[in-house]
Amino acid sequence: MTGLLRDMVYSRMFGAGVLMDAFLVAFKIPNFMRRLFAEGAFSQAFVPVVSEYKVQRSHDEVRELIDGAAGTMAWFLSVVTIIGVVAAPLLVLLFAPGFREDAGKFDLTVEMLRWTFPYLLFISLAALAAGVLNSYQRFAVPATTSTLMNLVMIVFAAWIAPRYAQPGVALAIGVFVAGLVQLAFQIPFMLKLGCCAGRAGAGGTKASRRSAG
């Protein structure tokens, strides 16, 4: 429902034109790469491994697995994000070669892509967090994150973008913020479980004491 409302706001505020063409391409590129890095084989493999560790190994080993996976993914995707931001013109040529015939549309898409590309990093880490929470039978929180993104995008489209000299860039910034919100929303719930850095050490100590008792 929120996704439908978001599309209705887009249509009402911007209609069909250069701005929405550029935005859709700038958003499509990190979304496409999200399917490569955060979904598919990774999700299908990661959740069963975490579930197996929960049953067969200690709390500290579960925490080390999650921290290691998160750290590796964050480091690798940070590098990919930097490359994507720098190579934005080449990516636009690859995904929308027809845009080069319109210099204004091409330049706008490149600028928007440099804001939307970091969404790949945020949403991939959010997918990892969702996999962990699902492994602990916490399904509501991951399911809510897509709704949060739609709400953030509605706010940017309806109230923030119209006040910008370049509304399309404001929409792209909205994607950046939405990805960050989706990740930040799940972190407290992971810390509460004690399965990652922060409260994890205390949780592991308590588990060890119970075992010793």
Side-chain angles (χ1 to χ4, degrees):
M1 291 177 64
T2 56
L4 175 62
L5 180 59
R6 179 200 64 197
D7 290 343
M8 291 172 63
V9 171
Y10 286 170
S11 178
R12 174 68 179 83
M13 298 301 296
F14 307 110
V18 172
L19 186 151
M20 286 308 299
D21 287 347
F23 174 73
L24 291 175
V25 170
F27 189 37
K28 177 179 74 173
I29 293 172
N31 242 352
F32 169 77
M33 294 188 175
R34 178 190 71 178
R35 296 186 180 95
L36 298 179
F37 295 113
E39 296 175 353
F42 173 78
S43 295
Q44 293 173 11
F46 186 66
V47 174
V49 171
V50 173
S51 300
E52 179 186 346
Y53 266 61
K54 266 181 55 190
V55 174
Q56 300 182 3
R57 310 214 181 184
S58 70
H59 180 87
D60 285 342
E61 288 178 302
V62 175
R63 177 174 58 84
E64 288 174 6
L65 170 67
I66 295 169
D67 286 349
T72 301
M73 177 176 280
W75 176 85
F76 176 74
L77 289 178
S78 294
V79 174
V80 172
T81 298
I82 292 170
I83 294 172
V85 169
V86 173
L90 295 177
L91 290 173
V92 174
L93 284 176
L94 177 64
F95 281 84
F99 280 19
R100 63 183 172 183
E101 298 176 3
D102 185 335
K105 181 188 288 190
F106 179 83
D107 292 341
L108 177 61
T109 307
V110 169
E111 186 174 0
M112 293 169 72
L113 179 58
R114 286 178 168 149
W115 278 105
T116 61
F117 204 93
Y119 175 79
L120 171 64
L121 171 63
F122 299 140
I123 198 60
S124 297
L125 292 174
L128 184 147
V132 173
L133 291 168
N134 285 333
S135 299
Y136 281 83
Q137 287 77 51
R138 304 294 194 274
F139 303 111
V141 174
T144 305
T145 56
S146 60
T147 301
L148 289 176
M149 177 183 179
N150 290 331
L151 293 176
V152 170
M153 293 306 301
I154 289 170
V155 170
F156 269 82
W159 289 286
I160 298 178
R163 292 174 169 81
Y164 265 63
Q166 292 184 302
V169 176
L171 277 183
I173 295 173
V175 173
F176 181 98
V177 173
L180 190 58
V181 167
Q182 288 182 92
L183 174 60
F185 176 70
Q186 296 184 87
I187 290 176
F189 295 94
M190 290 186 64
L191 293 176
K192 187 175 180 181
L193 290 174
C195 59
C196 60
R199 292 185 56 182
T205 302
K206 291 177 182 178
S208 299
R209 287 174 182 171
R210 284 196 296 267
S211 299

